[in-house]
Amino acid sequence: MKEKIHPDYHEITVERTDGSTYKTKSTWGKSGDKMKLEIDPLSHPAWNKGSGKLLDSGGRVARFEKKYKSFKI
């Protein structure tokens, strides 16, 4: 491998939507950083057959519903 062309590969902590955490290697952030997930296999309907609950981060769903509430199909 060529020297000094590859990103730093280090350990980070990933926090799921339910608060559980795990450690993994990544090029994201700096060593020891924590990545908080907004969507993961515990909350996304595609992975849990629709039984999960979508967490509305920052009111995105509410803003969307407000913007398009008068739109009828």
Side-chain angles (χ1 to χ4, degrees):
M1 289 191 333
K2 291 184 179 180
E3 296 292 323
K4 300 181 182 177
I5 65 165
H6 299 284
D8 179 35
Y9 192 61
H10 49 270
E11 190 172 89
I12 64 167
T13 303
V14 178
E15 183 178 340
R16 293 182 176 169
T17 55
D18 69 346
S20 63
T21 61
Y22 64 93
K23 293 193 181 286
T24 189
K25 295 268 191 162
S26 175
T27 58
W28 178 85
K30 300 180 298 245
S31 181
D33 281 354
K34 180 186 274 190
M35 177 187 288
K36 291 185 76 165
L37 300 179
E38 292 182 11
I39 297 176
D40 63 13
L42 301 173
S43 65
H44 196 280
W47 288 311
N48 61 27
K49 298 182 173 89
S51 65
K53 181 179 177 186
L54 182 63
L55 298 176
D56 186 9
S57 177
R60 292 180 190 160
V61 174
R63 285 196 310 266
F64 178 85
E65 289 174 347
K66 181 180 176 185
K67 183 175 181 179
Y68 294 106
K69 72 180 177 183
S70 64
F71 185 73
K72 304 289 182 197
I73 295 178

